[in-house]
Amino acid sequence: MDVGKRLRFVIWGAGARSFLAVNVLGLENVEVFVDQNKTLQSSSYYGKRVISPECFFSEYSSYPVMITPEGYEQEIKEMMAKQGIFWGFLFEDEYLNMETAFLQMPLNQFTNSYSPEKIQSIFGINLMSLCLYSYLEQKGFSCEIIPSENDSEELKQYVKNVLGMNLSPESRIDNEKRQIHLARKPVSKKDDERIQTYEDCYFAPWNKELFYKSRLEKFRGIHQGKRGFIVGTGPSLKIQDLDILERNHEISFSMNSIYKAFPRTIWRPDYYMIADTNCTILNKKHILEMEAKYKFVADIAWTQEYEKHENIFQWHVIRGSEHICNRIPFPMPKFTDDFSKGSYAGMTVTYDGCLQLAAFMGFSEIYLIGMDCSNYGTATVHFSDDYEGDEKGSIPGYLQVEKIILAYQSARNYADSHGFKIFNATRGGKLEVFQRVDFDSLFG
């Protein structure tokens, strides 16, 4: 993300979520990390200093803060408020919208169409609005922030007096003079009355037309009426099963760190997919070098390095706050009708990528192998003992299994209503959403 030099951030926490926070804020824009773990204090994280809360309050309290520790966010925010600091923003409230705005959205496509005579007005005070303000200001636009009715007086004064950003003084906004962007959803009738016509950055992830990828059209219906195999990386996966797929010239998909199996088999997937940001960065070298006919990287993890390779394709992942927050009951994710415009997230790349791409390609039968869905939160999660933690932290233990099962149920429902079948040919495991078939019986 390219933001103004004067806007710097503090990230509270030096763990897995902090990695994601760095990804959207930009490491160059992070001043320090704060962590209550004394063993981390006075060390560095991504080359940045890790300080104590006491040091933060005495030296860095004027910086906007993203609070990341899961389960402790509200507690930290309240502790900051007691010290008179009201510009601590929760990861759960901020991350997904910022991810869309600064990693997925083609911002240059928007800014090229903006009139330089109009003020770029951003509704709501949060990290996204501060970053968007800085980004647009750097592009040479005049900017202002329109506070929401729920934004506190302390927060407004902080933005105006400490960050030096313009606040809209008007009670009713003149749309003729302004290009209005939402950085958050309007929370009241008063907010709705103030802003009439706006560019909806807040809801942009669901605007599938915005993320249409014409390069993906070559895969539409390419395997109509055929069968394909999606190879998971669970502990049930056997190398000899990969050899069977190779001998029978079966079309196959796989994911993440499947390359760990390559030294032991001549099988290679036709289609390789990866969506998790952390996992993608850790595996980047392998993704670029690995043998696979086509590779797909989700736009939440896409970098310019992939653009140089004709066999690497970007696709859009549509995510909602339910995939970060532990909402109960969990909502069932949708299943895309057009992969070229995006797929819906379901907590696993099997759902986000493989199943929705396979449906787009027109398979009549899809078989899953290595999908155990039973070992999250244990030491044995994958088929190989030398996984080296490449996907560590991608799924926070077994707490996400309920969401994964819901996603598979969504896939089953879609398949049943669209004339194709998904079977589970995994050797064991606990995935019972799909009809079970014996893997060996598929090959005579």
Side-chain angles (χ1 to χ4, degrees), residues 91-307:
F91 178 90
E92 289 192 348
D93 294 340
E94 301 284 344
Y95 176 71
L96 284 176
N97 290 316
M98 292 187 68
E99 178 185 69
T100 297
F102 300 115
L103 297 181
Q104 295 178 301
M105 280 176 63
L107 278 177
N108 285 335
Q109 176 181 318
F110 286 101
T111 56
N112 290 340
S113 66
Y114 293 163
S115 169
E117 285 95 37
K118 283 193 174 184
I119 299 171
Q120 302 303 311
S121 301
I122 304 153
F123 175 79
I125 301 178
N126 53 19
L127 279 183
M128 181 171 165
S129 63
L130 302 184
C131 292
L132 193 56
Y133 183 109
S134 189
Y135 175 87
L136 292 170
E137 188 176 57
Q138 187 173 345
K139 294 291 184 181
F141 294 101
S142 297
C143 301
E144 68 178 4
I145 290 179
I146 305 170
S148 161
E149 186 180 15
N150 279 12
D151 292 328
S152 68
E153 193 61 37
E154 293 90 346
L155 194 54
K156 288 187 280 190
Q157 291 304 313
Y158 168 74
V159 169
K160 180 180 179 181
N161 299 327
V162 179
L163 298 184
M165 296 181 172
N166 299 318
L167 294 183
S168 170
E170 301 178 32
S171 58
R172 187 176 178 86
I173 304 303
D174 181 358
N175 287 277
E176 293 299 317
K177 298 178 182 178
R178 292 171 168 81
Q179 175 81 47
I180 299 176
H181 313 265
L182 289 192
R184 62 178 298 174
K185 184 171 21 174
V187 295
S188 67
K189 183 178 179 181
K190 184 177 180 181
D191 285 338
D192 288 330
E193 289 173 350
R194 292 183 68 204
I195 54 172
Q196 302 297 315
T197 305
Y198 49 78
E199 185 164 293
D200 209 338
C201 298
Y202 187 86
F203 295 103
W206 293 274
N207 181 357
K208 293 196 291 184
E209 299 299 327
L210 177 66
F211 297 98
Y212 170 67
K213 314 292 182 189
S214 60
R215 290 187 71 214
L216 296 176
E217 286 293 345
K218 68 179 292 180
F219 301 104
R220 187 188 295 273
I222 194 173
H223 297 303
Q224 195 70 40
K226 297 180 181 179
R227 77 175 186 178
F229 289 77
I230 298 177
V231 179
T233 58
S236 69
L237 183 65
K238 306 299 181 188
I239 297 301
Q240 54 266 38
D241 293 345
L242 301 179
D243 295 334
I244 291 172
L245 294 178
E246 177 66 23
R247 286 198 302 270
N248 287 276
H249 308 290
E250 298 289 352
I251 304 167
S252 61
F253 299 71
S254 197
M255 62 205 70
N256 297 345
S257 294
I258 189 61
Y259 60 84
K260 298 282 187 178
F262 291 177
R264 294 178 281 164
T265 178
I266 62 171
W267 169 87
R268 298 293 185 267
D270 297 282
Y271 304 105
Y272 170 84
M273 309 198 77
I274 193 162
D276 182 87
T277 305
N278 190 15
C279 184
T280 306
I281 292 173
L282 290 170
N283 286 330
K284 184 179 291 185
K285 179 176 181 292
H286 299 289
I287 295 168
L288 293 170
E289 296 176 356
M290 72 181 297
E291 299 173 63
K293 189 174 181 180
Y294 298 109
K295 307 168 191 177
F296 297 81
V297 178
D299 57 2
I300 54 178
W302 185 266
T303 67
Q304 289 185 337
E305 294 167 85
Y306 298 124
E307 294 177 4

